[in-house]
Amino acid sequence: MEDVDALRRELLDAVNAAGDLETLDQVRVRALGKKGRITGLMKTLGDLDPEERKAAGQRLNALKEEVGEAIEQRRAVLEEAALDAQLEAEKVDITLPARPESPGRVHPISQTFDEVTAIFAAMGFEVAEGPDIEDDFHNFNALNIPPEHPARQMHDTFYLADPGDGGERPLLRTHTSPVQIRTMQHTTPPIRVIAPGRTFRCDSDMTHTPMFHQVEGLVVDRTTHMGHLKGCLIDFVKAYFEVPDVPTRFRPSFFPFTEPSAEMDIGCSHQGGGLTIGAGDDWMEILGCGMVHPNVLTACGIDPEVYQGFAFGLGMERIAMLKYGIPDLRTFFDADLRWLRHYGFAALDVPTLAGGLTR
Ligand code: PHE
């Protein structure tokens, strides 16, 4: 048998000489791999007599262990050195001044969220959140949309893969209304929340994108009525569009989770090619709303004999397009820097009611 001591020295030297992880791994393969030196010697044990085999086997096992340990130790040293080198190479000097020629811009959707939140916060609303991945109960059933309800077809739902455990398929929420359910399930009225967030529908054309944004509103208290709903939304559109007098009208509509239901239109004018919000000869639909359906309150454990509420839902992209004159919905999601530079907002101009929403 080959001189085990000489082999030991040779292998340990090679381990310590390895200057990087790749070389170290080559050493490991040469020593301990399938065709490695130590492995090769192990295979010859079978040819020895029992006595010799025992002694040689022990020596080889000890060698294998020692070399293995030396490799692990060396690996730890090299890994740390590699990390240090990477940290050094990727060091960023955070004390450098920002480059004035390429300031970041706030996306119009983020800006619109901030504006809407500022307006409703001033009215005493809190911000509520819910998950993008929902279940049937929160997105449909609890909202008075039972299975087979025709409204389900209108939602073009994205379903996720079957979990395979007999459970139902999760889905991407088709509106922010499930946040109404989640809020009512864990709060005792009075409730006053808005829920901004992403929503998803399997729909894509000029005026639809598979992902878009909504803001939900929900107020529940003992005496909440339709007058509160109207007053709240009329104040909102005046503040949001920054025009003192926006004509509004509420048209009867239908949603399974509100009764009565309405759609709100605002006055506008198409004169001179552009679109102007405010008095004019035309109307533009901007949101859906209504009084929370008693079945919805009941599904959330709230007694409809004691409490009533109103809810509304509006599309973020739509109100951003109207306010900022952005003609094409799909450009919101193109991630085109030129577009962002044109329609984006300065990062430090945080919208507030006192300081102005847009400056
Ligand atoms: N969830 C409805 C939609 O996506 C909007 C809505 C919300 C209507 C709340 C009434 C009350 O179309």
Side-chain angles (χ1 to χ4, degrees), residues 175 177 180 201 214 216 255 257-258 288-289 311-313:
H175 48 180
S177 301
Q180 284 189 39
R201 290 186 200 174
Q214 288 190 334
E216 193 81 8
F255 301 101
F257 33 92
T258 46
C289 58
F312 57 87

Side-chain angles (χ1 to χ4, degrees), residues 96-312:
L96 285 176
R99 268 185 261 147
E101 72 276 16
S102 57
R105 306 292 284 175
V106 173
H107 194 282
I109 289 295
S110 306
Q111 169 78 16
T112 306
F113 270 144
D114 291 347
E115 292 180 22
V116 170
T117 307
I119 296 167
F120 283 109
M123 295 188 206
F125 283 72
E126 283 175 42
V127 173
E129 280 183 312
D132 290 359
I133 298 177
E134 266 299 359
D135 52 36
D136 194 87
F137 177 78
H138 292 91
N139 197 79
F140 292 124
N141 251 331
L143 286 162
N144 202 30
I145 317 179
E148 317 306 330
H149 192 290
R152 289 208 179 195
Q153 260 100 64
M154 290 163 51
H155 277 244
D156 301 311
T157 314
F158 281 115
Y159 284 93
L160 274 65
D162 193 323
D165 57 4
E168 58 174 51
R169 295 172 70 174
L171 52 89
L172 296 180
R173 65 176 176 193
T174 55
H175 48 180
T176 41
S177 301
V179 188
Q180 284 189 39
I181 304 301
R182 291 184 179 276
T183 306
M184 286 191 275
Q185 279 176 323
H186 69 244
T187 7
T188 341
I191 294 171
R192 215 185 287 168
V193 292
I194 55 163
R198 271 191 279 270
T199 46
F200 307 83
R201 290 186 200 174
C202 188
D203 202 351
S204 183
D205 58 35
M206 276 283 285
T207 54
H208 298 88
T209 47
M211 195 273 290
F212 57 103
H213 300 82
Q214 288 190 334
V215 172
E216 193 81 8
L218 174 70
V219 172
V220 181
D221 206 344
R222 288 171 193 270
T223 56
T224 309
H225 57 69
M226 197 90 184
H228 296 137
L229 160 75
K230 291 180 68 175
C232 171
L233 291 174
I234 291 171
D235 278 357
F236 165 72
V237 290
K238 283 183 189 162
Y240 175 74
F241 288 105
E242 298 176 273
V243 239
D245 219 8
V246 195
T248 52
R249 77 177 180 191
F250 289 80
R251 264 179 306 103
S253 182
F254 175 80
F255 301 101
F257 33 92
T258 46
E259 181 58 37
S261 304
E263 273 167 336
M264 183 190 191
D265 297 343
I266 52 174
C268 63
S269 135
H270 285 286
Q271 253 147 37
L275 171 79
T276 320
I277 303 294
D281 49 8
D282 210 353
W283 295 99
M284 170 83 66
E285 178 207 319
I286 66 154
L287 58 84
C289 58
M291 300 305 294
V292 180
H293 197 291
N295 289 355
V296 176
L297 294 170
T298 309
C300 301
I302 293 179
D303 185 353
E305 297 296 330
V306 180
Y307 291 105
Q308 42 194 9
F310 69 78
F312 57 87

